[in-house]
Amino acid sequence: MKLYTAAQMREADIRATEAGVSTSLLMEAAGSAVADRLLDLFPTAASVLVLCGKGNNGGDGYVVARRLLAGGPPVKVLELSDQPSTPAAAAARTALVEAGGEPEPLTAASLQEWVDRHCGEAGAAIEAVIVDALLGSGLDRPLREDLAELVTIINSGPCQVLAIDVPTGIDADSPNPPGAHVRADATVQLAGPKIAAYFHPARAAYATGHDLRQRAEFVADIGIPRAVLDELSDVLVLDESLLRAWLPPRPATAHKYDAGTVAVIAGSQRYLGAAELACRGAWRGGAGLVTLVANARLAGAWPETIFAPLDAAEPSHDAAHSGSEYVRELPRWPPPGLEPRHAAACVVGPGLDPGSLWLLEPLLDWSPGPLVFDAAALEPAALMRALAEGPDDVAARIVLTPHAGEAARLLSHGSEPVSAHDIAGDPLAHALRLAETTGATVVLKGPTTVIAKPGGGAAVSSRGHRGMAAGGTGDVLAGLLGALLAAPTGNGEGGSPQHRGGDASGRDAVSPVNLFERACLAVFVHGVAGERAARALGNALIANDLVDELGLTLAGLGWGA
């Protein structure tokens, strides 16, 4: 499944018509799907009110009413006009009248009268449903005063509300509603999900019930050819069926180096836990070997993790003072004992002391495979300098994992200022811009996470739980991502460099497409793990709760079966 803009859906309608699927056929399928969904969600509904606008969204509403007349609860139709603005909507209204329907004018007074009669008592509200078929996906401005008044009445009553395609008042292309809008209990999206349905705060308007995901993301197939839809969007919506195909293989003959090795360069005296959580995320992500490179390690660190002390400097003798005490200190990389085979992927930054950012440049020159840059490693000046000084292919081997504030700082570096508010207003566009600017794959973290790749193309995941707003959960994601980047693929990539056919330096070119797929997998698994943990703990999650669920979530996708 993919995510669509309003313009893309209009183009889909045009192309469907050119392919021989008329607007009337699409409308009939849409209205029928909505009627079926209504009966499924609200099986005890005793009365239904369908609010019809002038356009094709209203036409869908007329079809819903006609279907319910033929075998459903009593239905009443209130319409903004008895002269619909499109031929298909006009034909749908005529068919409703011929079936015995009697549409009446929609005014604030007529709407309020119905609400008072059918939704006056909270207990009766579950028996009454309002179908919002007022406006479609074309809105990009605040509602007119008369429509805003209708929305206020709809929202003020305790009736159940089922919206068609887009709740009235929502801009389908924006996370931010332009003004007053319907707050639906459920929404039936038509043909494909819209951007607003996946990003807060607009997302909440699609489903106010407890089962937000099921009710916000329900999409009805209305007959637009799949080939048409696939051509129009390059933004994937992540789901289990897609991600199962991207799970890394684990042959029965694999050993720890085949499974993938991860070097975690992280931590500081203040943030020892961040490094440990990243290591645990890597282990539970399936890494065969994890090495922590740090100044110190947590007292309760997992014993499986190898520790390579990070020396901030090494002695350097000045030639003019041979045999004397060292005159100055120079950074040293790699630390003793750390070899390329220990670092099929590197995770850099969780809890890292800013004073250790000197290591970015030598690390990029030394590292044999993909790198995850997180937290402290996203400091704009240090990161951009390292990218500029690093090998030509280095950006294609990097995954950046910023939250909105970090993304804003990166995009503002050497350019016009960008704020976290700007990022939240259009996460998709800003993630794509950051990927294009840096040449790296970008994981823009948030309530809905965007994964973007340089050159275009993105994916979104709404999986997760509000309880994940806790310190350390991002560190777990960074470690998980490192493990999945280190794991082998079906074409022989992954594992330790010595098993991947790298060059003399131990470096092996890694396809950005694979980085994108593994980043998508990590984000999805991390979110589902949070959901699993929240079933027992609700909002009271800590990062270790996610660690405990990562392996089970991967197993649930079929990894290890």
Side-chain angles (χ1 to χ4, degrees), residues 2-101:
K2 295 185 176 182
L3 203 60
Y4 298 90
T5 65
Q8 287 169 337
M9 292 310 302
R10 287 193 294 272
E11 179 64 21
D13 286 342
I14 292 171
R15 295 191 187 185
T17 300
E18 293 172 348
V21 184
S22 69
T23 301
S24 293
L25 285 175
L26 295 175
M27 189 173 290
E28 186 69 25
S32 297
V34 174
D36 291 341
R37 182 66 169 161
L38 186 153
L39 295 173
D40 179 53
L41 285 174
F42 312 111
T44 61
S47 55
V48 176
L49 174 66
V50 182
L51 305 179
C52 294
K54 297 180 182 180
N56 284 341
N57 197 252
D60 298 334
Y62 291 128
V63 175
V64 173
R66 194 186 81 243
R67 282 289 309 275
L68 294 178
L69 279 177
V75 59
K76 183 180 182 69
V77 176
L78 296 179
E79 58 185 4
L80 288 177
S81 172
D82 60 2
Q83 299 293 322
S85 60
T86 70
R93 184 184 188 279
T94 297
L96 170 64
V97 172
E98 291 175 348

Side-chain angles (χ1 to χ4, degrees), residues 351-438:
L352 190 68
D353 190 307
S356 297
L357 290 178
W358 60 264
L359 61 77
L360 294 187
E361 292 177 48
L363 171 63
L364 292 183
D365 189 59
W366 171 88
S367 65
L371 304 102
V372 179
F373 276 23
D374 181 60
L378 298 174
E379 196 281 319
L383 173 60
M384 295 306 183
R385 182 172 60 251
L387 289 176
E389 297 295 329
D392 292 340
D393 69 335
V394 71
R397 297 189 286 118
I398 290 176
V399 179
L400 307 178
T401 60
H403 54 56
E406 291 164 336
R409 290 190 288 274
L410 287 169
L411 286 172
S412 298
H413 185 71
S415 184
E416 292 294 321
V418 176
S419 69
H421 180 76
D422 295 331
I423 302 292
D426 197 344
L428 190 56
H430 284 97
L432 286 164
R433 179 185 162 194
L434 184 56
E436 196 61 33
T437 299
T438 61

Side-chain angles (χ1 to χ4, degrees), residues 175-497:
N176 296 314
H181 58 275
V182 166
R183 297 192 300 270
D185 292 278
T187 301
V188 178
Q189 297 193 78
L190 305 179
K194 317 306 182 291
I195 289 174
Y198 271 78
F199 292 97
H200 290 281
R203 176 175 169 78
Y206 280 72
T208 58
H210 294 296
D211 195 350
L212 178 62
R213 176 164 300 101
Q214 180 186 10
R215 295 188 173 195
E217 298 178 10
F218 183 85
V219 178
D221 180 358
I222 63 172
I224 296 178
R226 176 52 53 186
V228 168
L229 292 171
D230 286 343
E231 288 176 1
L232 289 172
S233 173
D234 59 0
V235 181
L236 294 169
V237 175
L238 299 181
D239 60 32
E240 293 184 3
S241 61
L242 175 67
L243 292 166
R244 285 193 185 100
W246 294 349
L247 288 167
R250 179 67 71 88
T253 57
H255 54 72
K256 60 189 176 185
Y257 289 103
D258 290 330
T261 61
V262 180
V264 177
I265 301 96
S268 60
Q269 286 297 331
R270 186 178 183 186
Y271 297 114
L272 296 176
E276 176 63 17
L277 287 167
C279 291
R280 293 181 184 187
W283 280 119
R284 289 304 186 204
L289 191 70
V290 178
T291 302
L292 172 62
V293 182
N295 299 119
R297 69 186 305 186
L298 191 71
W302 282 6
E304 295 85 354
T305 302
I306 298 172
F307 180 60
L310 176 62
D311 291 333
E314 67 175 345
S316 176
H317 295 278
D318 187 275
H321 299 81
S322 179
S324 66
E325 293 298 321
Y326 67 86
V327 176
R328 59 192 175 92
E329 293 185 343
L330 293 176
R332 177 172 62 188
W333 184 270
L338 184 65
E339 302 174 16
R341 67 188 185 125
H342 300 142
C346 293
V347 176
V348 192
L352 190 68
D353 190 307
S356 297
L357 290 178
W358 60 264
L359 61 77
L360 294 187
E361 292 177 48
L363 171 63
L364 292 183
D365 189 59
W366 171 88
S367 65
L371 304 102
V372 179
F373 276 23
D374 181 60
L378 298 174
E379 196 281 319
L383 173 60
M384 295 306 183
R385 182 172 60 251
L387 289 176
E389 297 295 329
D392 292 340
D393 69 335
V394 71
R397 297 189 286 118
I398 290 176
V399 179
L400 307 178
T401 60
H403 54 56
E406 291 164 336
R409 290 190 288 274
L410 287 169
L411 286 172
S412 298
H413 185 71
S415 184
E416 292 294 321
V418 176
S419 69
H421 180 76
D422 295 331
I423 302 292
D426 197 344
L428 190 56
H430 284 97
L432 286 164
R433 179 185 162 194
L434 184 56
E436 196 61 33
T437 299
T438 61
T441 300
V442 171
V443 173
L444 179 54
K445 298 180 290 191
T448 295
T449 293
V450 179
I451 306 94
K453 54 185 174 180
V460 299
S461 175
S462 62
R463 302 306 295 263
H465 188 273
R466 61 178 64 89
M468 294 168 69
T473 56
D475 304 323
V476 174
L477 173 61
L480 169 65
L481 180 52
L484 293 174
L485 291 176
T489 66
N491 59 11
E493 293 178 349
S496 72

